[in-house]
Amino acid sequence: MIDVRVAGCVALLVVWTGMRGIHAAPLDEAAERYRPYMIEGIGDALAGARALRERAAANDLVGARKAWISARAGWERSEVFTAGFVPELDAQIDAWPNADSGFHAIEAKLFGAGRTDVEADAAALVAHLDDLHGKLADMPLMPRGLLDGTVRLAYEVGESKADGGESRISGTSLDDMRNNVAGIDFAYRTIFAGVLKAADAGLADTVASRIEQLNTIVAASDLRHVDVRALRRTSEELVIALQAASTKLGLPRPTLEAQSR
């Protein structure tokens, strides 16, 4: 006699496999529509990092700070991808709070100490971004990894950044959050919204509503006026909704642990 538990697991696997088969092609096609956005974001980060290196070498503190902010914006918009596919590189480029390289090591010197002696860190940042940018056109984009990255970034916005954010020295933490939410919004609408709407319109509306609420919260005039409790609560609700959506999408349930895809 077949163990009831084994039979149940087999049945669930068959159901999941069937759902994955139904949604695989639309999601794979949608992931390809995300690729130009990803390339553009990392390209903007790379252009900013190159300008940062040049301005720092010229001892232009104002120009170097401006270039750092520009590079940062491109990176933050792309974190759905970086968190889901290249977490090791993400740690090198955007380690926080104990950063001895990458954006925040440069930030401490440029904005904290008013120094431009960031040649080594700027060169490393350019090298990392240049290497990544060169691989983006051919890198496989798995919907599972993009959903995982979306979930982890949604959690980070509410938990890791709600108490003042990463970029406190430069004063750009609110911009970080805005760019993160913009990245989440674009990834959801481009990749997952259509398939989820067809499978569960109510859940799709819930996800869209939570993203819109995040957009409203981070539209505050400055960081002091961000409703931190609402930010954290909405972030958690979005994570839960996206995790529930994974079943409807035929994808494994996302976790908050970084894994390369």
Side-chain angles (χ1 to χ4, degrees):
M1 180 179 293
I2 298 175
D3 188 287
V4 174
R5 291 172 298 179
V6 174
C9 289
V10 171
L12 287 173
L13 179 59
V14 169
V15 170
W16 182 86
T17 303
M19 292 184 66
R20 173 58 185 152
I22 292 171
H23 299 314
L27 287 176
D28 289 342
E29 293 170 3
E32 282 304 312
R33 293 197 295 271
Y34 177 80
R35 191 182 298 275
Y37 178 88
M38 172 185 72
I39 293 173
E40 180 183 13
I42 298 299
D44 288 347
L46 175 58
R50 286 172 171 163
L52 163 63
R53 182 181 59 186
E54 294 170 1
R55 291 299 85 212
N59 200 32
D60 176 6
L61 180 61
V62 173
R65 286 174 171 175
K66 183 178 179 180
W68 184 93
I69 292 171
S70 176
R72 182 83 179 147
W75 179 260
E76 292 295 296
R77 290 198 308 273
S78 307
E79 282 202 299
V80 161
F81 159 72
T82 61
F85 287 80
V86 288
E88 297 85 2
L89 184 60
D90 185 85
Q92 291 177 308
I93 291 176
D94 199 22
W96 180 82
N98 300 314
D100 54 8
S101 64
F103 275 115
H104 296 300
I106 297 171
E107 177 191 20
K109 289 185 178 179
L110 287 182
F111 295 91
R115 293 160 45 191
T116 57
D117 56 332
V118 295
E119 293 87 351
D121 284 328
L125 182 62
V126 169
H128 286 316
L129 289 169
D130 193 28
D131 179 61
L132 176 59
H133 191 253
K135 298 175 179 176
L136 295 181
D138 300 317
M139 182 177 291
L141 284 182
M142 302 301 179
R144 174 184 180 178
L146 290 166
L147 183 61
D148 285 358
T150 302
V151 167
R152 282 198 296 278
L153 188 56
Y155 179 80
E156 181 182 319
V157 167
E159 295 302 316
S160 300
K161 299 182 178 180
D163 63 350
E166 295 181 43
S167 307
R168 304 182 189 187
I169 300 175
S170 62
T172 60
S173 291
L174 186 54
D175 285 336
D176 285 354
M177 287 188 278
R178 288 169 177 164
N179 284 311
N180 284 164
V181 176
I184 290 168
D185 189 14
F186 186 86
Y188 174 68
R189 287 187 291 104
T190 303
I191 305 166
F192 305 111
V195 175
L196 183 59
K197 190 79 172 179
D200 190 327
L203 184 55
D205 289 344
T206 296
V207 173
S209 174
R210 296 301 178 271
I211 293 174
E212 183 57 34
Q213 288 171 12
L214 286 179
N215 270 312
T216 298
I217 292 168
V218 300
S221 57
D222 55 49
L223 197 60
R224 293 176 302 167
H225 290 89
V226 171
D227 186 337
V228 174
R229 292 181 62 184
L231 179 66
R232 182 172 285 116
R233 181 182 66 251
T234 305
S235 166
E236 292 173 350
E237 290 173 349
L238 176 57
V239 167
I240 292 169
L242 287 170
Q243 288 177 325
S246 64
T247 302
K248 306 290 184 177
L249 296 169
L251 298 174
R253 182 180 177 86
T255 70
L256 299 177
E257 298 176 0
Q259 298 177 7
S260 294
R261 298 295 178 195

